[in-house]
Amino acid sequence: MLRKALAAAALVGCMVAGSGQSVLAQEYQLNVNTALTQEDPIYKGLEAFRDKVKARTEGKVEIRLFPSSQLGKDEDVLEQARAGANVAVLVDPGRLAVFVNDIGVLGGPYLADGFDQYRKITTSDLFTGWADDLNKTAGLKILSFNWWQGARHLVTQNAVTKPADLAGVRMRTPGAPVWIETIKAMGATPTPMGWTEVYPALQQNAIDAAEAQDTAVYGAKLYEVAKHLTKTGHIGLLTGLVTSGQWYDSLPADLQKIVSEEALAAGDVASKGTEDAISRVDAEMEKAGMSIDEIDVAPFKQATAGVYDKLGYGDLKKKVDAVLSGN
């Protein structure tokens, strides 16, 4: 794994070296990977991040964007970052829980209500401790963790109103334990796979369903291969911009400050864009023939309540609840 990561890092270095830029510019270039498409509001936030950093650093730090996982799967890019490559990835907490288990609680079911509450958690002292641990143990630096991609809902072929309706349904989900246990508790059979594989998998009946946020469903055109989007809101997807601790430490202090500040500011811009886009993309998907279904989510909340204790997050959830209540 390390050999592959070092090879990937070398490849990124070759890409940069081939651009004809100076050695100094190469040191201060950051290649940002995201599974999302260029049409997604989150990507617009990444563009703002790129432009603001360029302006404030007077071109000393160049941000290059790679949508649709052009640099590889999130896990692979994280390994490149751990090896010291000048890469970053917009990633969910479940994938970071591999390195610092506590971060995984952010992917738990019905943890908080909307962007403001999730942002409160990830700008708290509790989260800062997790971020410090991630840097020390895995060499990964969180630039900001306020990139709200929205609440995740069910994407199915048949109408769903209760957990029993998901019995036997093969549902795509990311491979992190908290996601898998949540989908299992909701009644479906979790089926991990990469996001870019979901459309053909639904089209070819390799899976029966998926779960994702509105803008991602729209961006991936899943409304062409699935009939229902059911508003369960079972997981709030707040993601983080994560880079190499080694690369970040190579920056002068003034440039570190700018990169971190603009990552936080851009995350807020992207999150506002996401919230503004939801009603628009829902209307577009309905126009294309997908049914957008509002249901009573109480049965799903009840079904997933035990996930925290099952994964050893029971006490940690109490700490998160204290952050949200201001205690």
Side-chain angles (χ1 to χ4, degrees), residues 150-170:
R152 292 175 77 88
H153 307 299
L154 303 182
V155 179
T156 61
Q157 304 297 3
N158 299 311
V160 174
T161 60
K162 58 188 180 301
D165 295 333
L166 295 175
V169 172
R170 299 165 299 169

Side-chain angles (χ1 to χ4, degrees), residues 40-113:
D40 195 284
I42 291 291
Y43 190 83
K44 305 304 179 187
L46 289 173
E47 290 178 324
F49 174 56
R50 175 195 63 197
D51 296 345
K52 290 285 190 178
V53 167
K54 181 178 181 180
R56 287 189 62 191
T57 65
E58 298 179 340
K60 293 177 183 176
V61 179
E62 180 189 11
I63 308 294
R64 299 176 67 199
L65 306 179
F66 294 85
S68 302
S69 299
Q70 291 177 19
L71 294 184
K73 294 180 180 179
D74 291 350
E75 293 89 346
D76 294 339
V77 179
L78 285 174
E79 286 302 318
Q80 294 172 31
R82 293 187 70 197
N86 57 330
V87 295
V89 59
L90 199 64
V91 68
D92 64 83
R95 288 181 173 88
L96 298 180
V98 173
F99 310 107
V100 176
N101 184 60
D102 285 0
I103 295 178
V105 75
L106 293 172
Y110 302 104
L111 180 71
D113 185 15

Side-chain angles (χ1 to χ4, degrees), residues 151-160 166 169-172 183 186 188 195 198-199 202 207-218 220-234 285 290-293:
R152 292 175 77 88
H153 307 299
L154 303 182
V155 179
T156 61
Q157 304 297 3
N158 299 311
V160 174
L166 295 175
V169 172
R170 299 165 299 169
M171 182 175 294
R172 180 271 173 183
I183 297 310
M186 292 175 73
W195 178 243
V198 174
Y199 185 103
L202 283 169
I207 57 174
D208 307 304
E211 51 87 38
Q213 62 278 14
D214 306 66
T215 51
V217 174
Y218 179 73
K221 298 184 178 180
L222 297 190
Y223 53 84
E224 296 178 348
V225 289
K227 297 177 181 178
H228 294 266
L229 186 148
T230 304
K231 297 272 189 163
T232 48
H234 50 278
M285 290 191 288
M290 176 176 261
S291 177
I292 309 295
D293 305 331

Side-chain angles (χ1 to χ4, degrees), residues 5-308:
L6 290 172
L11 175 61
V12 173
C14 289
M15 290 168 54
V16 177
S19 66
Q21 295 177 337
S22 68
V23 173
L24 181 63
Q26 289 173 30
E27 289 178 353
Y28 298 155
Q29 184 182 74
L30 185 63
N31 300 301
V32 179
N33 190 65
T34 176
L36 301 173
T37 64
Q38 290 174 275
E39 291 73 32
D40 195 284
I42 291 291
Y43 190 83
K44 305 304 179 187
L46 289 173
E47 290 178 324
F49 174 56
R50 175 195 63 197
D51 296 345
K52 290 285 190 178
V53 167
K54 181 178 181 180
R56 287 189 62 191
T57 65
E58 298 179 340
K60 293 177 183 176
V61 179
E62 180 189 11
I63 308 294
R64 299 176 67 199
L65 306 179
F66 294 85
S68 302
S69 299
Q70 291 177 19
L71 294 184
K73 294 180 180 179
D74 291 350
E75 293 89 346
D76 294 339
V77 179
L78 285 174
E79 286 302 318
Q80 294 172 31
R82 293 187 70 197
N86 57 330
V87 295
V89 59
L90 199 64
V91 68
D92 64 83
R95 288 181 173 88
L96 298 180
V98 173
F99 310 107
V100 176
N101 184 60
D102 285 0
I103 295 178
V105 75
L106 293 172
Y110 302 104
L111 180 71
D113 185 15
F115 169 62
D116 289 340
Q117 285 200 355
Y118 276 95
R119 191 185 189 280
K120 186 173 183 179
I121 299 168
T122 60
T123 54
S124 69
D125 291 341
L126 180 64
F127 183 84
T128 297
W130 302 341
D132 289 344
D133 288 344
L134 184 68
N135 200 359
K136 291 173 185 174
T137 61
L140 295 171
K141 170 68 178 179
I142 294 176
L143 296 178
S144 66
F145 219 99
N146 61 322
W147 299 73
W148 174 244
Q149 295 188 31
R152 292 175 77 88
H153 307 299
L154 303 182
V155 179
T156 61
Q157 304 297 3
N158 299 311
V160 174
T161 60
K162 58 188 180 301
D165 295 333
L166 295 175
V169 172
R170 299 165 299 169
M171 182 175 294
R172 180 271 173 183
T173 190
V178 69
W179 299 72
I180 290 174
E181 290 300 330
T182 296
I183 297 310
K184 193 183 297 183
M186 292 175 73
T189 301
T191 307
M193 68 172 58
W195 178 243
T196 56
E197 301 170 47
V198 174
Y199 185 103
L202 283 169
Q203 190 177 43
Q204 297 162 18
N205 297 317
I207 57 174
D208 307 304
E211 51 87 38
Q213 62 278 14
D214 306 66
T215 51
V217 174
Y218 179 73
K221 298 184 178 180
L222 297 190
Y223 53 84
E224 296 178 348
V225 289
K227 297 177 181 178
H228 294 266
L229 186 148
T230 304
K231 297 272 189 163
T232 48
H234 50 278
I235 290 171
L237 185 56
L238 193 68
T239 51
L241 192 57
V242 181
T243 189
S244 164
Q246 186 176 329
W247 177 84
Y248 185 83
D249 290 343
S250 75
L251 296 177
D254 60 328
L255 298 186
Q256 288 180 352
K257 184 172 185 289
I258 290 171
V259 169
S260 293
E261 287 177 351
E262 292 305 330
L264 186 67
D268 286 342
V269 168
S271 300
K272 179 65 164 58
T274 295
E275 295 195 321
D276 290 345
I278 289 174
S279 59
R280 174 180 60 80
V281 301
D282 281 359
E284 291 291 333
M285 290 191 288
E286 280 189 307
K287 191 184 300 182
M290 176 176 261
S291 177
I292 309 295
D293 305 331
E294 298 279 355
I295 65 167
D296 176 12
V297 301
F300 290 95
K301 286 186 177 182
Q302 183 177 1
T304 58
V307 168
Y308 293 99

